[in-house]
Amino acid sequence: HRSLERPLFVEEFNAPGDWKGEVAGGVARAAPSPGSPVDALHLLSSKPIFSIPIRGRFEFVYRAPQGGELLVQLHTTDPAQNFDHPLRLAPAADWKTAAIDFDAFVPADPNDRGRRLKPGRGIDHLQMLFTPGPKGGAFWVDAIRAVESRP
């Protein structure tokens, strides 16, 4: 028995939209950040992109041929706070799917480490920060979903 799912946010990069990064041909590439070793793909909105569900996850389909470190960051409103989840990406030329439970995100501020993303909080900024491995490389995203799971 699999729980029911409801998409809260879906992005398939069919148009550039408000994303900061390189979006073309149905995929997005994290763009170099001036003066930083990090490549970034991010979306900033004046209103919430989605709200955190009671149960759910953040999913994305990616490709990172040389591998590297990825930091997924969600910014909540009211109060303003960043929540992070780091991932180590092994080199892979094929598209892969990653899923992160919303409960796995932790506050970026070490002073807030006991807090968790609370259901109902709006996400108005989504960042994917990629640090390439020693051989360099790029980080591509084909699709992003925020999903609510229902028992």
Side-chain angles (χ1 to χ4, degrees):
H1 161 264
R2 185 179 166 148
S3 64
L4 297 175
E5 295 179 348
R6 181 174 70 102
L8 304 171
F9 171 75
V10 176
E11 176 62 75
E12 294 179 337
F13 302 104
N14 294 323
D18 292 329
W19 286 93
K20 303 292 184 215
E22 300 170 9
V23 178
V27 297
R29 180 178 184 255
S33 300
S36 170
V38 174
D39 295 346
L41 177 63
H42 68 266
L43 175 64
L44 177 62
S45 176
S46 59
K47 56 185 177 183
I49 302 164
F50 64 91
S51 294
I52 297 298
I54 292 173
R55 269 184 235 92
R57 65 191 173 281
F58 179 80
E59 302 174 337
F60 58 99
V61 177
Y62 74 94
R63 190 165 56 102
Q66 302 300 322
E69 302 288 331
L70 180 68
L71 181 69
V72 178
Q73 188 173 75
L74 304 177
H75 180 269
T76 64
T77 54
D78 193 29
Q81 193 172 18
N82 289 326
F83 287 83
D84 296 344
H85 186 76
L87 291 170
R88 178 150 183 68
L89 304 178
D94 296 330
W95 292 102
K96 294 187 170 267
T97 300
I100 307 166
D101 284 340
F102 286 117
D103 290 340
F105 283 86
V106 297
D109 184 342
N111 295 323
D112 291 337
R113 285 293 182 201
R115 296 189 180 165
R116 293 284 182 234
L117 279 167
K118 291 184 181 172
R121 289 184 81 178
I123 301 297
D124 66 349
H125 191 180
L126 161 63
Q127 285 196 106
M128 300 179 91
L129 305 171
F130 179 71
T131 305
K135 296 181 182 179
F139 175 71
W140 299 87
V141 179
D142 182 61
I144 295 174
R145 290 184 351 141
V147 178
E148 176 183 30
S149 299
R150 296 180 177 185

